Amino acid sequence: MSGNMTYSSDEVNFLVYRYLQESGFQHSAYTFGIESHISQSNIDGALVPPAALLSIIQKGLQYTEAEISVGENGQEQRPTESLSLIDAVLPDFVANRQNQLNSQRTNNPSTGPAITNGEEGTPPNPPESMEVDASIEIPQSKATKLIGHESEVFICAWNPVKDFLASGSGDSTARIWDMTDSTKKDPKELQIVLRHCISKGGTEVPSNKDVTSLDWNNNGSFLATGSYDGYARIWTSDGSLKSTLGQHKGPIFALKWNKRGNYILSAGVDKTTIIWDAASGQCEQQFSFHSAPALDVDWQSNTSFASCSTDQHIHVCKLHSDKPVKSFEGHTNEVNAIKWDPQGLLLASCSDDMTLKIWSLDKDNCVHDLQAHNKEIYTIKWSPTGPETSNPNMSLVLAR
């Protein structure tokens, strides 16, 4: 037998932290990371494969099933019912299942395939595969794999003018991928790496924080990024750092340019939203209307916007106003995302309460309360149709 296995609380915490990130629980992951001091651990996250926690849990579950299935004489009898994860951690349940199978072996010794002297019978059942819509198939010749990030990729955004794709990752970088000639063999030729660094002792060092929000300005000349290091940054399309915007006290969860391109809007864990002057990099106004972390923002016009929060509230705000223009209440759990329709008349919101609501400035309550999902909703998108769009004769559609 090999030497004893060892594991530390830091290792367990890191796997839980990564599981929360991979499952889309970004805000829970952030809170857990702070409380468990993930940033102080010496674990190289780039070396940990995706779904690491689920993989080790699955192996443990298979080991427990093997313990139950194999009798003292080496014979294996498969249980008729599969073992759930909760079943596997209940000692009384495991003992009862073993007793049942031992009794069946005694009454019917020939039952089931045997595993004797290391010879295997039926291999363990493979994990269930994900449901795939077989009606949609993308030919391999039409797919391009972009390799370069050393950790999870959280967000992507196409440049509105050029064939550039921006991506943000847990490796504390954003990358600009030049897709004008994606047939290039070397991935290094496709990408510009935007390293997010902070100053320590007069030296620029990697922040080691996730880049989870980014947005191109309307003419595609500048890219804004938001990071868990608390800074927003403005980059040129060729990868040069133009400005570093520092006013938030903690991670930035969302970041958007206005249409005119003179302001950037951000939302942070510090419960505030900020309008930044894009030219100077200075804070134009900081709004402190939420009582909990602000999760998302969206411009209504070049000077007015909406924000949402874990406090379950939505505020509509305007530059140089010291109070909200309008506030909406109705969600019963944190509001994850908001989006104005193309005309800026209707505001859609989605929440952990599994509902999607549509609001109007001339109504105090939501005008539509859509309840079709049975799990949390994290993203919403209006179709580019209807009045004031390039498709004015098509109906407006909301996807979530």
Side-chain angles (χ1 to χ4, degrees), residues 255-310:
L255 176 132
K256 304 277 178 66
W257 287 88
N258 68 348
K259 286 185 179 180
R260 188 179 298 165
N262 58 329
Y263 291 133
I264 296 172
L265 178 62
S266 61
V269 74
D270 59 5
K271 311 175 188 177
T272 73
T273 55
I274 297 177
I275 291 180
W276 306 87
D277 185 307
S280 67
Q282 299 300 308
C283 170
E284 189 75 14
Q285 186 174 352
Q286 188 164 17
F287 303 82
S288 303
F289 303 142
H290 287 292
S291 59
L295 301 185
D296 196 21
V297 286
D298 195 47
W299 290 101
Q300 181 194 26
S301 68
N302 283 308
T303 56
S304 62
F305 67 94
S307 63
C308 64
S309 165
T310 61

